[in-house]
């Protein structure tokens, strides 16, 4: 798979506006984008830290994966997203080693990236995303 870097770290939050304030006022980061990803039922806020972003995720529906996560585990780190050259090749490589895929093909995520998730049950408890810039 050979990721080039960590594209972002996704953090599940209960209140986006309250947490944006923490990241800006205490950590001194700048929120440069707030975006709703309707099919994932989340509202997201992004901050850059070097080559990596922090993505805050607030559920927009009780059916959202983020709402279920917070209900079970509370707020905190939700997933790690690796930048790869080709999401499809990364998925094929993972599947060939028996890793369970949540997405069998790339789909559109926040910021127009092509993304896919690997199931945390086969990645040692860490929900793992692979993503690429659209060509
Ligand atoms: N990290 C680690 N483990 C997680 C997890 C996470 N983020 N989310 C769920 N799990 C665990 C659960 O705790 C559960 O473990 P146990 O069986 O030991 O209790 C197991 O995975 C299965 O969970 P579940 O409740 O039965 O299944 P869910 O319906 O919650 O689905 C998952 C879990 C990962 C398949 C689902 O959340 C998913 O498809 N995620 C990918 C999409 C996503 O997360 N979207 C939101 C972000 C979108 C964005 O970044 O834009």
């Amino acid at each position: 798979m050979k990721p080039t870097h960590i594209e972002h770290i996704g953090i599940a939050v209960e209140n986006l506006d309250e947490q944006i304030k923490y990241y800006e006022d205490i950590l001194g980061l700048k929120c440069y984008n707030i975006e709703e990803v309707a099919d994932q039922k989340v509202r997201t806020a992004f901050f850059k830290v070097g080559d990596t972003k922090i993505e805050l995720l607030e559920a927009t529906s009780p059916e959202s994966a983020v709402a279920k996560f917070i209900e079970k585990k509370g707020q905190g780190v939700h997933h790690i997203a690796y930048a790869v050259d080709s999401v499809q090749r990364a998925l094929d490589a993972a599947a060939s080693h028996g890793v369970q895929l949540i997405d069998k093909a790339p789909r559109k995520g926040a910021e127009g990236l092509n993304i896919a998730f690997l199931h945390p049950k086969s990645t040692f408890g860490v929900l793992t995303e692979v993503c690429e810039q659209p060509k």
Side-chain angles (χ1 to χ4, degrees), residues 8 37 40 42 44 55 57 65-66 68-69 72-73 77-79 102 107 109-110 115 117 119-121 125-127 129:
H8 65 265
V37 186
Q40 292 296 304
V42 291
T44 64
E55 178 190 34
L57 297 154
V66 169
K68 288 186 194 164
F69 176 86
K72 261 195 178 170
K73 299 190 191 243
V77 174
H78 178 262
H79 66 267
I102 292 173
R107 57 183 171 80
I115 67 157
F117 283 92
H119 202 286
K121 282 288 171 196
V126 180
L127 176 60
E129 179 180 343

Side-chain angles (χ1 to χ4, degrees), residues 17-35:
D17 297 329
E18 191 178 290
Q19 293 235 4
I20 289 172
K21 211 170 146 31
Y22 162 76
Y23 282 84
E24 290 197 328
D25 294 354
I26 310 296
L27 291 179
L29 302 174
K30 176 95 192 92
C31 174
Y32 70 91
N33 185 23
I34 295 180
E35 183 181 339

Side-chain angles (χ1 to χ4, degrees), residues 33-54:
N33 185 23
I34 295 180
E35 183 181 339
E36 185 162 340
V37 186
D39 74 326
Q40 292 296 304
K41 302 185 175 69
V42 291
R43 203 159 70 96
T44 64
F46 284 94
F47 306 81
K48 285 189 181 128
V49 192
D51 287 341
T52 301
K53 297 164 194 161
I54 298 294

Side-chain angles (χ1 to χ4, degrees), residues 4-23:
T4 51
H5 60 284
I6 292 179
E7 210 283 333
H8 65 265
I9 297 171
I11 298 175
V13 308
E14 279 168 4
N15 183 318
L16 200 64
D17 297 329
E18 191 178 290
Q19 293 235 4
I20 289 172
K21 211 170 146 31
Y22 162 76
Y23 282 84

